[in-house]
Amino acid sequence: MTYDNRATVRRVLIITLLLNLFVMILKAVVGTLTGSLSLLADALHSVTDSANNILGLIASRFSSPKPDREHPYGHLKFEAVGALGISAFLGIACFEILQGAIEGIFKGRNPVKISPPELWLLLVVLGVNIFVAFYERRVGKAVGSPILIADAKHTMSDVWVTISVIGGLIGVWLGYQWLDLVLAFPVALLVFWSGWSVLKENLPWLVDQMAIAPEAIYEIAVSVPGVVNCHEIASRGVLGRQVFIEMHLIVDSPDVEAAHHITEEVEKRLEERFSPVRILIHVEPPSYKSERISF
């Protein structure tokens, strides 16, 4: 049975949404007051944090693991779709940051003015970002939520961005104006890398990439007494969240009832190893021959 984690996911997303809105407003205010391009870019990054939380709430609303008539395999892929939305937001943020930096190089801009109180405000922002990233990652791993884990990665990229921006603004405060513009480029690269990581982790789920090596399933199945062989093994899903397994099982059985008991034992052992999992087994007689384990 699949655990429905949506209530926990929604609670975490609401808390982090409020914190991200606070961070976004603070960065935007300080960035406007100082005229810092890197800080305004960082504020743009934080806009995507809030948008991602809202997207996550929408995805979580529709991502029930329980099957129904229209979705007999459940709705968990809605979370993966939400995670891909986060990746898209990060791509937009990366483009905006690079565009602003290139315009600054060719068109020039007003000097950045920063004061110690404004730097202290940014340290508060950094502390909030660190809390959000670790909080989301801890809860996401505990309940197996890809949307929380993906959002935590995004927020963690925001932590590194904010650290870079603060370092650059300290340099600006010391008289190195060029640091603000130069740091806009690594900020963009960090944002891009975060988006690529989210995309790489969630795309296999959406395209039904193999979840478990067929050899591992084969070894468990043939260890059950009465199993002669198994083939056409296929699996999809995400380990620890939801996995679907299909196979053809050749059994040495005198009747249907005995074959049923053998398949139940195979299902039991697979569930113990890969739970939560849904298993479909097609039973074949011992006279059937096949050397192909998988497709």
Side-chain angles (χ1 to χ4, degrees), residues 9-290:
V9 170
R10 283 195 295 270
R11 184 178 68 251
V12 173
L13 287 173
I14 289 171
I15 292 172
T16 55
L17 172 61
L18 296 174
L19 291 173
N20 283 329
L21 286 172
F22 168 75
V23 164
M24 177 189 69
I25 292 170
L26 202 57
K27 286 180 181 177
V29 169
V30 177
T32 302
L33 291 174
T34 61
S36 168
L37 175 63
S38 61
L39 186 54
L40 288 173
D42 196 14
L44 175 64
H45 193 200
S46 294
V47 170
T48 67
D49 285 327
S50 301
N52 294 337
N53 293 143
I54 295 171
L55 179 63
L57 286 168
I58 295 172
S60 178
R61 169 66 179 83
F62 294 103
S63 63
S64 170
K66 299 176 182 177
D68 57 29
R69 181 179 176 85
E70 287 75 27
H71 302 87
Y73 294 97
H75 310 72
L76 289 175
K77 284 188 179 180
F78 278 104
E79 281 208 13
V81 171
L84 291 184
I86 290 177
S87 181
F89 276 122
L90 289 169
I92 294 170
C94 178
F95 173 78
E96 293 291 338
I97 294 169
L98 287 175
Q99 184 182 46
I102 292 171
E103 287 180 354
I105 292 173
F106 290 100
K107 296 181 180 180
R109 58 194 181 94
N110 295 326
V112 177
K113 297 178 181 179
I114 188 76
S115 65
E118 290 165 337
L119 288 174
W120 280 110
L121 284 176
L122 293 180
L123 290 177
V124 172
V125 165
L126 179 61
V128 173
N129 278 340
I130 292 173
F131 169 78
V132 169
F134 282 92
Y135 174 56
E136 277 193 303
R137 186 173 67 177
R138 179 177 60 81
V139 178
K141 288 184 176 181
V143 302
S145 171
I147 195 73
L148 287 183
I149 294 172
D151 201 36
K153 282 180 181 266
H154 181 196
T155 305
M156 199 64 208
S157 74
D158 208 18
V159 169
W160 292 112
V161 168
T162 302
I163 290 173
S164 299
V165 169
I166 291 174
L169 290 177
I170 290 174
V172 169
W173 179 51
L174 294 174
Y176 302 98
Q177 284 287 331
W178 54 269
L179 271 175
D180 182 62
L181 185 60
V182 169
L183 280 172
F185 288 95
V187 166
L189 291 176
L190 286 169
V191 173
F192 175 80
W193 179 254
S194 180
W196 169 249
S197 298
V198 172
L199 178 66
K200 185 172 63 174
E201 289 183 8
N202 286 277
L203 193 58
W205 191 4
L206 291 175
V207 299
D208 290 332
Q209 184 174 310
M210 176 187 68
I212 305 167
E215 292 80 9
I217 298 172
Y218 178 86
E219 291 297 329
I220 293 173
V222 297
S223 69
V224 175
V227 174
V228 177
N229 203 349
C230 66
H231 59 103
E232 308 293 352
I233 299 171
S235 66
R236 60 187 177 88
V238 176
L239 274 173
R241 189 74 176 102
Q242 178 71 80
V243 174
F244 298 90
I245 296 176
E246 301 174 9
M247 71 173 71
H248 289 207
L249 197 67
I250 302 173
V251 297
D252 185 7
S253 169
D255 53 48
V256 173
E257 185 176 358
H260 175 68
H261 288 311
I262 293 172
T263 59
E264 281 195 327
E265 180 61 26
V266 172
E267 290 176 353
K268 177 184 175 183
R269 296 190 185 188
L270 289 172
E271 286 171 354
E272 288 174 351
R273 177 75 177 273
F274 303 117
S275 181
V277 60
R278 285 172 58 181
I279 305 163
L280 178 64
I281 298 178
H282 175 76
V283 177
E284 293 170 335
S287 59
Y288 188 91
K289 303 294 182 182
S290 178

